Amino acid sequence: MTAIRLYNTRTRSKEAFEPFDARNVRMYVCGPTVYDRAHLGNARPVVVFDTLFRLLRHVYGEDHVKYVRNFTDVDDKINATALARQEAGAPGTLEDLIHQRTEETIGWYHADMDALGALRPTKEPRATEYIGAMVAMIEGLIERGHAYEVAGHVLFDVRSYPEYGRLSGRSVDDMIAGARVEVAPYKRDPMDFVLWKPSDASLPGWESPWGRGRPGWHIECSAMSYELLGASFDIHGGGIDLAFPHHENEVAQSCCAHPGSDFARVWMHNEMLLVEGKKMSKSLGNFFTVRELLEQGYPGEVIRFVMLSTHYRKPMDWTAEKAREAEGVLRHWRALTADAEPTGPDAELVEALADDLNGAGAMARLHALAKAIASNPQKDCFYEKGVFLASARLLGLLDEGMGGWAEGVDLSALAGKLADLRTAAMASKDFAPVDALKSALIAAGVEVRMSKAGVELVPGAGFDPAKLEGL
RNA sequence: GGCGGGUUGGCGGAGAGGUUACGCAGCGGAUUGCAAAUCCGUGAAGACCGGUUCGAUUCCGGUACCCGCCUCCA
């Protein structure tokens, strides 16, 4: 069996991955808050952990890996959108409007992530479906002396959990010393965080032992991972910006609610996506959505390729230049494997992937495999092509259904015309008409390939069918 | 202020204490009416200063610069 090694944030080192149960490998990844279109930064963990999911399925078997990614559908930004719609005269109760907003956002999210070639997780629970489990967990925390009720809120008592801060490598005292936020006066300790908060009539709420209210942000992941994966599971993933406070708080809640459990054994965090050297984030407003990129003509497969080219633990700059390179390589690879049937993935590629998800290493291996095929034009390389295709697909590339962007438009009429002109020019030695048509085609983004065998026209980067009119 | 990460050739981007990463671009060649595409070949690196070592871009220490978290965030 392939030995997988993963970098564990908790121990700050790369470790051999050993699942609790090889027949039931379990991974939880923090999903989106569904109040708006996903931006490109949101897509990075999706691609990273999708790749890990694919690797785990390859190694342990498709039916032996469970991947849970939540939808956070309780959030003040969702409420604000719904409230704004209601004030603008939209029909229905606030709850209806909230539901509408989360439903449409989840639909967008699925469409956008599907376009990136991400497999749907095994389970995609919504926070609102697990309110009962959250309330139960909070009650347990109060009983065990790890949480307290004050001013309609329930707060987690960080001083009751000596390990608090271990995951993110900070101490409670240091954090208080450098605190930048105003502390609510009712907190016993400035670092205590909210498990439950009251809702007034204008906000969605659920009945609870502490009155009508709604859960704090962190408790949902603890409750849902417990319900779906158990008290101890294998991998917990998310963006590095979630390490503190979100994941730190999850650890505290879960370990205190289920003493003796490990919660997540391996913690994995992807680095941030950058734009102009700065983190793409909501607060900076420097983000663009996946949908915008797709509409600009960047195929999802190209976006995925670019994401895989940088190691997940390094910051990644999205640039048009990288997308251009990726598109060229993918066109080449698709042409190379047009007649191939996938067999099994290359062992070296799997090894690269198994070494803490070395996407760049896996890509380098694909280049090597492609070169071996290309430099053997005498043979049909049926077997090699099958391995290559299966390897690419392990990375979620060259999948059927993703390649629509690379498929040709019917340019055979123009190709025929160009071929005729050339034949005539060969005799007359006047190549001007040929060159004129060729230039026009190139201007329209068409790649013109003329050889002894004939004329081939292929839509290239920046192909614009409108410019072909009149040719 | 506290904590964490980074600095590799023109650009992007990996691994490994000693032997070619890889890709793009460039250059040379094959091919072409000319090109394109394709194939073959090729130069080029490790922020700075010390230390360990027979040998460091790779390990250790320091300096500089950049970035992230500590506030919603992937």
Side-chain angles (χ1 to χ4, degrees):
Chain A
M1 183 173 286
T2 306
I4 298 179
R5 290 171 60 75
L6 298 173
Y7 182 86
N8 190 349
T9 304
R10 189 163 65 170
T11 57
R12 313 234 175 238
S13 60
K14 223 191 265 188
E15 304 169 345
F17 174 66
E18 283 173 34
F20 286 102
D21 176 1
R23 296 186 59 80
N24 183 21
V25 181
R26 288 155 290 162
M27 170 163 80
Y28 186 96
V29 173
C30 290
T33 302
V34 285
Y35 71 97
D36 206 351
R37 282 277 187 192
H39 68 233
L40 192 62
N42 294 310
R44 194 169 186 196
V46 173
V47 171
V48 165
F49 292 105
D50 176 64
T51 307
L52 179 57
F53 183 40
R54 288 169 185 268
L55 174 69
L56 292 171
R57 280 158 56 105
H58 173 73
V59 172
Y60 295 99
E62 290 193 4
D63 299 332
H64 302 305
V65 183
K66 196 168 180 185
Y67 171 23
V68 175
R69 187 183 60 206
N70 66 293
F71 283 119
T72 300
D73 57 353
V74 189
D75 175 81
D76 288 345
K77 284 186 286 288
I78 301 170
N79 303 336
T81 305
L83 202 60
R85 287 183 175 187
Q86 191 176 53
E87 282 165 3
T93 65
L94 192 62
E95 274 73 17
D96 292 338
L97 292 169
I98 286 170
H99 187 67
Q100 269 175 30
R101 181 56 171 174
T102 57
E103 281 303 306
E104 78 184 352
T105 308
I106 287 171
W108 290 337
Y109 189 80
H110 275 148
D112 296 346
M113 298 309 129
D114 288 352
L116 301 181
L119 301 171
R120 297 277 177 95
T122 322
K123 277 271 188 187
E124 297 183 283
R126 301 175 190 198
T128 50
E129 293 166 350
Y130 290 85
I131 301 288
M134 295 183 219
V135 169
M137 188 173 256
I138 295 169
E139 283 183 303
L141 287 170
I142 293 174
E143 277 166 29
R144 290 194 161 79
H146 292 293
Y148 56 96
E149 183 189 359
V150 59
H153 292 68
V154 181
L155 296 166
F156 185 90
D157 178 3
V158 296
R159 297 287 180 184
S160 75
Y161 181 56
E163 299 278 280
Y164 191 79
R166 192 176 147 219
L167 173 69
S168 53
R170 6 184 132 207
S171 78
V172 174
D173 293 325
D174 289 347
M175 285 187 282
I176 292 169
R180 285 200 264 158
V181 221
E182 217 174 301
V183 178
Y186 48 77
K187 286 188 178 180
R188 286 184 193 166
D189 185 285
M191 298 314 293
D192 289 354
F193 56 92
V194 171
L195 297 169
W196 190 264
K197 52 192 169 186
S199 291
D200 63 27
S202 74
L203 289 169
W206 290 262
E207 287 310 321
S208 79
W210 320 286
R212 184 173 175 277
R214 59 198 198 282
W217 172 36
H218 316 292
I219 192 72
E220 59 171 274
C221 291
S222 287
M224 290 188 282
S225 62
Y226 177 70
E227 294 294 323
L228 296 168
L229 299 177
S232 300
F233 55 95
D234 301 298
I235 299 170
H236 192 131
I240 187 71
D241 55 343
L242 293 185
F244 189 89
H246 185 54
H247 291 159
E248 191 70 58
N249 293 354
E250 276 188 55
V251 172
Q253 292 160 351
S254 292
C255 290
C256 290
H258 311 293
S261 75
D262 295 12
F263 193 38
R265 180 177 276 181
V266 181
W267 283 87
M268 293 179 70
H269 293 101
N270 61 276
E271 253 295 346
M272 297 292 97
L273 190 93
L274 307 181
V275 177
E276 305 290 336
K278 292 277 182 194
K279 174 184 167 184
M280 176 182 270
S281 79
K282 287 162 188 171
S283 55
L284 289 176
N286 64 342
F287 65 88
F288 42 90
T289 64
V290 173
R291 180 51 47 184
E292 284 167 337
L293 224 43
L294 292 168
E295 282 173 359
Q296 282 166 29
Y298 292 106
E301 187 175 29
V302 167
I303 298 172
R304 184 181 183 96
F305 185 108
V306 171
M307 295 235 176
L308 289 173
S309 308
T310 299
H311 190 93
Y312 77 94
R313 283 194 285 114
K314 289 222 173 152
M316 193 201 90
D317 220 341
W318 167 267
T319 64
E321 174 65 11
K322 285 182 184 175
R324 192 195 58 74
E325 280 187 26
E327 186 174 332
V329 173
L330 284 168
R331 276 184 197 284
H332 188 185
W333 286 355
R334 281 197 173 272
L336 203 62
T337 54
D339 59 347
E341 283 300 320
T343 53
D346 173 69
E348 276 187 46
L349 179 132
V350 173
E351 216 172 281
L353 222 43
D355 181 14
D356 195 32
L357 233 48
N358 184 354
M363 299 287 246
R365 184 61 190 155
L366 282 182
H367 281 294
L369 292 171
K371 186 164 185 164
I373 294 167
S375 56
N376 275 310
Q378 266 65 27
K379 294 181 280 181
D380 64 4
C381 293
F382 184 76
Y383 174 75
E384 288 80 0
K385 284 181 182 180
V387 170
F388 177 81
L389 189 54
S391 303
R393 288 190 180 172
L394 183 60
L395 295 172
L397 299 171
L398 303 189
D399 254 314
E400 290 170 312
M402 280 190 94
W405 65 274
E407 275 163 25
V409 192
D410 185 16
L411 297 170
S412 55
L414 284 165
K417 185 175 174 186
L418 187 61
D420 292 345
L421 280 173
R422 185 171 65 146
T423 308
M426 297 284 238
S428 69
K429 301 294 173 200
D430 175 15
F431 287 93
V434 189
D435 289 335
L437 179 57
K438 198 173 78 177
S439 304
L441 288 165
I442 290 167
V446 178
E447 219 169 69
V448 180
R449 301 178 190 172
M450 292 194 283
S451 68
K452 279 178 183 163
V455 171
E456 201 186 346
L457 299 182
V458 183
F463 173 60
D464 182 1
K467 289 188 180 162
L468 292 177
E469 287 183 29
L471 295 182

